[in-house]
Amino acid sequence: MLQSLRLKSGPPARVIFGHPWAFLGEIISNGPLPKSGECVELIDLKGKSLGSGLWSSKSQIAWRRYSHRLVSLDGPLLDELILASIRRRENKPVCRLIWSEADNLPGLVVDRYNDLLSVQALTFGIDQRLPQIIDCLKRELQPREIVIRNDASVRKLEGLDNSITTASGNPLEPCWMKIGDIEVRVDLMGGQKTGMYLDQIEQHARIAQLAKGRRVLDAFCNQGGFGLACAKAGALSVLGLDSSEEAIKAAQLAAERNKLNAKFEVANVFDWFGANREVTFDLIILDPPPFARSKESVDGAMRGYKELNLRALRLLSPKGILATYSCSHRISDEMYFEVVESAARDARRQAILLDRVSQPSDHPILLNFPESRYLKGFILEVRS
Ligand code: SAH
């Protein structure tokens, strides 16, 4: 039997309208509270069940739904949810296999890099169940190794320590593997996030189709995903910029290994734009980190995005292309479009929208969970 807790009366909580989280302040908490990691039923003010969720006693997000039914995660359900997520990805060799709430596994992220897996546990309940999760992944996928990247800062909010380990207990060296048609140096124990960024792989190929004969600037390039794909597709020149030395090193090694003509430099993109006002590019990619991580940072983020888009638009040749992305869920598609429009206005550039893009299907958007709808991009062609 699961312990049941009730919502408090007060302003209607988002969980009533389908959101998968309930905050501690929204729940009646005068009786004994569950322990972190326990499976708990939540009941609304009329006594109707809102489903079953994982309890977290340290975090403000006290309850995260994994099922609309009344069911423990510790029976067959955990394996069933893992297998359903894997099946949804239809055997893609490099992809996000499991994405947290969007796959009903709140706090579990699993990325697949061919025969390697990288796992992150971001909630107490998932961290506690990692042994069973790893067993299931091994049984289903027989990976060469599983890296457990428990170094995300949000773990602290759950009262969890940080570590980076492997399922075998042996360290995993960086290795080369094909992603798309490029050999990429994958460092699952050292790279950013779960090793790399997987959410823009489709965009790398999409933008590369526009790159032939163009001078390309890949700003916030990380390991050079866009730039390398553009070089492979016949770009005239490629310059990639990122503030991370490790990421730039990996990009440079990949350019050498794939015999591609692409230059990568360590730079703060804002400073670089400030110092380089006379250069011209025919294709600029802007793929910055999420500037708006909290509600309070939205205004500053909007100014940052505006600045970047303005600078980029000024450096584009006539008929030049801007591919501009934002991965802050707090900045909506419309807000970001307005930023880009006002940047074009200030730069006195006329541009048409060639395409508007979103996140790939292996990072599914969960309806009524705005936090899962984060990536947006606009591909523009400058007319004058
Ligand atoms: N374009 C990449 C993903 C970029 S993620 C891809 O397609 O895979 C954002 C990147 O911005 C990270 O690599 C981070 O190191 C870098 N970054 C963050 N702030 C920066 C800054 N001010 N200047 C340059 N790079 C920055």
Side-chain angles (χ1 to χ4, degrees):
M1 261 315 276
L2 267 55
Q3 181 173 351
S4 296
L5 292 175
R6 259 176 198 273
L7 283 184
K8 266 186 198 160
S9 54
R14 290 193 298 173
V15 67
I16 299 172
F17 306 110
H19 197 284
W21 295 347
F23 291 89
L24 190 58
E26 295 169 339
I27 297 168
I28 297 178
S29 55
N30 47 9
L33 283 176
K35 287 213 248 345
S36 258
E38 278 184 22
C39 301
V40 172
E41 182 192 28
L42 194 62
I43 295 174
D44 73 9
L45 295 172
K46 294 182 187 142
K48 200 178 114 237
S49 178
L50 293 166
S52 311
L54 285 173
W55 188 259
S56 218
S57 56
K58 288 259 164 52
S59 168
Q60 280 307 302
I61 308 168
W63 185 88
R64 290 176 167 90
R65 185 191 290 115
Y66 56 79
S67 174
H68 275 90
R69 291 181 294 127
L70 180 54
V71 57
S72 167
L73 190 58
D74 295 314
L77 183 63
L78 182 54
D79 283 9
E80 281 167 24
L81 290 172
I82 293 173
L83 299 188
S85 308
I86 293 175
R87 262 178 233 122
R88 218 171 285 132
R89 274 44 177 207
E90 296 173 338
N91 283 326
K92 273 194 202 162
V94 179
C95 68
R96 175 145 295 183
L97 270 186
I98 300 179
W99 193 38
S100 210
E101 283 82 356
D103 285 303
N104 280 332
L105 287 161
L108 178 62
V109 173
V110 180
D111 281 351
R112 177 187 211 167
Y113 297 84
N114 291 307
D115 58 353
L116 299 174
L117 298 179
S118 184
V119 174
Q120 279 185 320
L122 306 173
T123 54
F124 196 97
I126 288 297
D127 194 75
Q128 215 177 26
R129 291 167 177 81
L130 270 181
Q132 190 186 338
I133 292 166
I134 293 204
D135 278 353
C136 179
L137 291 170
K138 278 187 183 162
R139 250 192 339 268
E140 190 59 22
L141 301 166
Q142 291 95 39
R144 177 160 67 84
E145 182 62 282
I146 301 179
V147 174
I148 302 144
R149 279 297 296 251
N150 279 341
D151 59 332
S153 55
V154 291
R155 284 173 57 88
K156 285 207 186 72
L157 305 176
E158 299 274 323
L160 295 165
D161 291 335
N162 282 3
S163 63
I164 302 176
T165 53
T166 59
S168 72
N170 303 317
L172 179 72
E173 296 299 321
C175 63
W176 289 98
M177 64 171 62
K178 266 228 148 131
I179 298 187
D181 54 3
I182 301 213
E183 280 203 61
V184 177
R185 189 170 177 275
V186 172
D187 179 5
L188 296 191
M189 296 195 80
Q192 294 185 18
K193 299 273 171 184
T194 66
M196 272 176 43
Y197 292 85
L198 294 185
D199 54 0
Q200 289 285 42
I201 291 181
E202 289 178 12
Q203 287 303 306
H204 298 162
R206 162 84 179 76
I207 298 303
Q209 290 171 2
L210 304 167
K212 194 160 191 229
R214 291 183 190 262
R215 294 161 291 176
V216 177
L217 175 66
D218 178 3
F220 306 93
C221 65
N222 192 254
Q223 298 197 22
F226 280 105
L228 293 167
C230 288
K232 180 104 183 174
L236 202 57
S237 66
V238 171
L239 173 62
L241 305 173
D242 199 282
S243 56
S244 157
E245 280 181 29
E246 299 79 39
I248 289 295
K249 188 80 216 154
Q252 289 166 339
L253 288 171
E256 245 169 67
R257 174 126 179 157
N258 292 276
K259 300 191 172 53
L260 293 173
N261 179 21
K263 243 173 77 179
F264 294 96
E265 290 175 8
V266 177
N268 178 320
V269 170
F270 287 93
D271 296 346
W272 189 92
F273 274 135
N276 290 274
R277 293 167 192 246
E278 305 299 327
V279 281
T280 306
F281 294 94
D282 311 303
L283 169 59
I284 298 182
I285 298 124
L286 292 177
D287 187 22
F291 290 152
R293 288 185 201 268
S294 64
K295 239 190 249 165
E296 297 69 40
S297 55
V298 167
D299 288 348
M302 295 288 274
R303 285 195 294 277
Y305 286 128
K306 165 94 182 270
E307 171 81 8
L308 286 175
N309 281 283
L310 177 64
R311 300 280 192 173
L313 282 162
R314 282 187 180 147
L315 297 190
L316 276 172
S317 59
K319 296 243 159 104
I321 288 176
L322 175 64
T324 179
Y325 303 89
S326 158
C327 58
S328 302
H329 79 82
R330 290 179 191 281
I331 310 283
S332 68
D333 297 31
E334 283 320 300
M335 283 161 81
Y336 197 55
F337 191 68
E338 279 167 25
V339 164
V340 177
E341 274 192 322
S342 81
R345 205 161 51 228
D346 288 8
R348 302 201 184 345
R349 306 297 306 255
Q350 196 192 35
I352 57 160
L353 184 60
L354 296 181
D355 204 358
R356 53 196 310 166
V357 296
S358 174
Q359 60 214 61
S361 59
D362 57 347
H363 293 64
I365 294 168
L366 174 65
L367 270 63
N368 298 306
F369 183 43
E371 290 80 356
S372 69
R373 181 148 70 95
Y374 73 105
L375 185 61
K376 69 241 23 130
F378 299 109
I379 303 169
L380 312 163
E381 186 186 75
V382 165
R383 279 273 166 88
S384 58

